[in-house]
Amino acid sequence: MCGIAGWVDFERGLREEASTVRTMVGTLANRGPDDEAVWTDERAALGHRRLAVIDVDGSPQPMVAEEDGRTLAVLVHNGEIYNFRQVRAQLESLGHRFRTAGDTEVVLRAYLEWGERCAERLEGMFAFAVWDPRAGKLVMFRDRLGIKPLYYARAGRGLVFGSEPKALLAHPSIECAVDTEGLAELLAYIATPGHAVYRGMREVPAGHVTVVRDGSVTETRYWTLPNHEHPDDLPTTVDTVRGLLQEAVSSHLVSDVPLCTLLSGGVDSSAIAAIAARSVTDGRRPKTFAVDFEGHTERFRKDFWHEDPDAPYAAEVARHVGTDHEPVVLRTADLADPVVDAAALRAQDLPRPIPDMDRSLYLLLRSVRQRSTVALMGEVADELFGGYQSFRDPTLVDTANFPWVTMGLRVAPHGMSTGLLDPGFLKKIDVPGYSAQRYAETVAEVPRVPGESDQEHTMRVVGHAHLSRWLPLLLSRDDRLSMAVGLELRVPYCDHRLVEYVYNIPWGMKTADGREKSVLRSAVADLLPASVTQRRKSPFPVTQDPRYGEVLRDRFNAVVADPSSPVRPLLDSPACTELAKEDRPIAVDGWGERRNVEMVLQLDAWLRHYRVRLDI
């Protein structure tokens, strides 16, 4: 796993601009702690930071393909190609010769053989850019689900790109500005394909190729979610899901460095851990890790989201499948550490409405990185198999808006985490209107399958919305927080063959036993304890320690009392003043007050440290 950045310009020479690109790629140092390099010519400058996972001692980047002293193409690549050995064999049969043992040279040679269509032959998670001096063009590719990130922005008669916004913001011609649309995207908590919160910045959309020539930037889709009738009965469907999941996990175990699995005790991650454990052939007990909070099991209180604590279930699964399991126990002081808070924000470049979860995940991944370089996780199963409340509540799934946005609008009139922001500011941003417009665009992307009932089509739309507008938020968070500590996270449920199959399973079959994720539970029932396969969906855990509420209280009061705070003009002053007067910890039960306060603190830190200019 790596970090990439670069600059192409069709007017000015870039041979002497290595220092600029080195500064850009330097912001991505945590993504690639093992090596750094920059390559330049007259029209392009490419930079790379490397985390060595495959072919540890080889495969340097930027990687150059030459012939008779002439440069054919230069590649910077972030990701893993799980079928690179098969693609390599095909390329060798076509006459290509290889100097290295890794997947990077396979990607470069695939481009030389198949050009802009090479991504169609690659399976994995990837974002890569190729400078092709023969055609005078930069070509950028992103994997089908958008697991690996890639941003770009116009710069004069050229373009800059990078794995994260911070790399682009390090370029002298890119300003750190956010307009009304960017704020609406941020506060609605949706991920419109191609959009980035910062003005003038875009993401290469998932499943797309972006080609940059002098005077033009074009985006072409090479993959999309297929919509078709599901041909199989329930038993065949369950067997097929099991087979596809086993193949996905097996392909994700390829590594030349230590590998482990994240294990929460839910059916999603437990299934991954069980299949991975069965795949070990060298006699060693595979490693699993889980996050927990000091005293959490003893003080646990059931709430709307969490019915029981994770730790006992994770331990039970580890015993059942035979892993060497290690809980990572966090203290409230760890969660409240301002250095950790700053690191999590810096990793994501944006404020988020659930920063305590981000900090917990960051600390878990940081601890895992001390023992492993690669970790498998169970993300994406809920989006695929319909695990969220936003799938199952009929009052959320047909409201002409994203179900999770509708859920947030029930908490506050302008959406989740906005309860302490100025009503006039929020009216100008118009989260409900913006998200409704984006949802209408999403609905238009989903054709009706022949013979599909109204309810089944509605659930197809909901599934598409979760995979295309919600999932990117989670993948972005996972990528940034893992890369911030130099850990490669892999997501087997994102295998595109599994996604294509499960997406088209009818909702009635996905909930055949009246519960969420019926098909997945049945597919792995023989691998796991019944207590886990029958367990209700439980989101990522949060601390219930009232001392965390005291920390939030102190920090909130400090922001409200600080006349230089950049967030103050955005606040509902009467509401904030009233809350600051109350002599009690911020409530950590539920999501309302806690999330509202966390968003104020996040916005303050973001505006302060990034020096964001708001154009509203």
Side-chain angles (χ1 to χ4, degrees), residues 215-236:
S216 71
V217 178
T218 59
E219 293 179 344
T220 304
R221 181 189 293 274
Y222 70 87
W223 181 85
T224 189
L225 280 170
N227 290 270
H228 56 72
E229 294 179 78
H230 184 67
D232 300 331
D233 60 16
L234 182 57
T236 304

Side-chain angles (χ1 to χ4, degrees), residues 18 23 35 49 93 248 279 384 402 418 496 521 571 584 602:
T23 298
D35 196 15
R49 293 286 313 207
S93 72
S279 302
L384 269 183
F402 297 100
T418 63
H496 73 276
R521 294 175 190 276
L571 298 182
R584 60 170 178 81
Q602 284 274 293

Side-chain angles (χ1 to χ4, degrees), residues 283-607:
R284 293 181 299 174
R285 286 164 59 88
K287 291 283 294 182
T288 52
F289 294 88
V291 69
D292 196 10
F293 303 103
E294 190 176 53
H296 185 64
T297 299
E298 294 76 15
R299 71 165 67 95
F300 179 82
R301 298 179 303 279
K302 179 179 177 180
D303 60 28
F304 177 79
W305 301 100
H306 304 89
E307 195 167 87
D308 41 35
D310 285 347
Y313 292 94
E316 183 181 7
V317 171
R319 290 192 298 269
H320 188 85
V321 305
T323 66
D324 181 7
H325 185 62
E326 184 175 336
V328 177
V329 181
L330 306 179
R331 303 169 302 158
T332 296
D334 300 324
L335 293 173
D337 186 342
V339 174
V340 172
D341 194 9
L345 175 62
R346 177 67 177 167
Q348 300 190 82
D349 291 317
L350 291 170
R352 290 304 187 193
I354 49 174
D356 54 335
M357 291 187 185
D358 295 341
R359 291 192 290 271
S360 299
L361 181 58
Y362 172 84
L363 289 166
L364 168 65
L365 299 176
R366 189 177 70 177
S367 180
V368 170
R369 181 62 177 92
Q370 296 172 10
R371 302 156 183 82
S372 189
T373 309
V374 177
L376 274 61
M377 71 184 310
E379 203 83 279
V380 189
D382 285 310
E383 289 75 17
L384 269 183
F385 293 94
Y388 295 125
Q389 181 73 12
S390 51
F391 279 92
R392 304 191 307 276
D393 185 341
T395 67
L396 297 175
V397 300
D398 197 11
T399 62
N401 212 324
F402 297 100
W404 62 92
V405 174
T406 299
M407 187 180 295
L409 292 172
R410 291 179 179 177
V411 177
H414 298 281
M416 186 174 68
S417 307
T418 63
L420 292 173
L421 302 182
D422 177 66
F425 163 73
L426 291 171
K427 186 176 182 180
K428 184 179 296 185
I429 300 303
D430 188 18
V431 165
Y434 177 84
S435 57
Q437 176 186 348
R438 295 305 184 203
Y439 187 67
E441 296 168 358
T442 307
V443 172
E445 295 175 2
V446 187
R448 183 181 288 271
V449 171
E452 194 172 52
S453 68
D454 289 344
Q455 182 192 24
E456 284 291 351
H457 182 67
T458 295
M459 296 313 298
R460 179 181 293 275
V461 170
V462 170
H464 181 91
H466 278 83
L467 287 169
S468 64
R469 269 70 170 181
W470 170 262
L471 176 60
L473 298 169
L474 304 186
L475 294 176
S476 173
R477 178 194 66 174
D478 297 339
D479 173 83
R480 305 301 191 279
L481 295 176
S482 61
M483 287 287 89
V485 298
L487 178 73
E488 177 178 301
L489 272 187
R490 296 181 179 177
V491 279
Y493 287 108
C494 265
D495 181 280
H496 73 276
R497 292 159 299 185
L498 178 64
V499 170
E500 290 172 357
Y501 185 81
V502 176
Y503 169 67
N504 284 288
I505 297 174
W507 181 248
M509 192 176 287
K510 287 182 178 178
T511 56
D513 63 359
R515 305 189 61 195
E516 77 275 8
K517 296 187 286 192
S518 299
V519 171
L520 178 60
R521 294 175 190 276
S522 298
V524 298
D526 63 313
L527 299 178
L528 302 173
S531 60
V532 172
T533 58
Q534 296 303 310
R535 187 186 179 202
R536 177 191 168 197
K537 159 69 183 173
S538 185
F540 195 83
V542 295
T543 182
Q544 295 179 337
D545 188 348
R547 291 176 296 178
Y548 184 70
E550 295 173 2
V551 173
L552 293 181
R553 156 67 57 194
D554 292 341
R555 292 183 178 173
F556 176 75
N557 286 0
V559 167
V560 172
D562 180 5
S564 67
S565 166
V567 79
R568 282 180 60 128
L570 308 183
L571 298 182
D572 183 341
S573 295
C576 289
T577 301
E578 190 63 30
L579 180 57
K581 288 179 181 178
E582 298 184 25
D583 187 20
R584 60 170 178 81
I586 298 300
V588 294
D589 293 329
W591 285 51
E593 185 173 270
R594 176 183 191 152
R595 295 290 167 243
N596 290 336
V597 169
E598 291 268 32
M599 180 54 83
V600 169
L601 300 179
Q602 284 274 293
L603 285 169
D604 178 76
W606 177 57
L607 295 169

Side-chain angles (χ1 to χ4, degrees), residues 37-39 46-48 50 55 58-66 71-77 98-109 112 129-131:
V38 173
W39 177 93
L46 308 182
H48 186 263
R50 188 182 187 206
D55 191 21
S59 300
Q61 294 191 54
M63 185 172 283
V64 182
E66 295 179 319
T71 298
L72 303 179
V74 187
L75 168 75
V76 282
H77 170 224
F98 291 84
R99 306 185 313 272
T100 65
D103 59 351
T104 297
E105 191 176 9
V106 172
V107 174
L108 180 57
R109 288 283 158 184
L112 292 175
V130 178
W131 169 244

Side-chain angles (χ1 to χ4, degrees), residues 19-40:
S19 60
T20 299
V21 176
R22 188 167 286 113
T23 298
M24 294 172 63
V25 81
T27 67
L28 307 173
N30 289 338
R31 298 187 70 94
D34 297 327
D35 196 15
E36 175 188 291
V38 173
W39 177 93
T40 65

Side-chain angles (χ1 to χ4, degrees), residues 7 9-17 41-44:
W7 179 12
D9 198 297
F10 298 98
E11 184 175 37
R12 61 181 293 178
L14 297 183
R15 292 189 183 279
E16 306 303 320
E17 293 292 347
D41 77 352
E42 186 62 19
R43 291 287 173 254

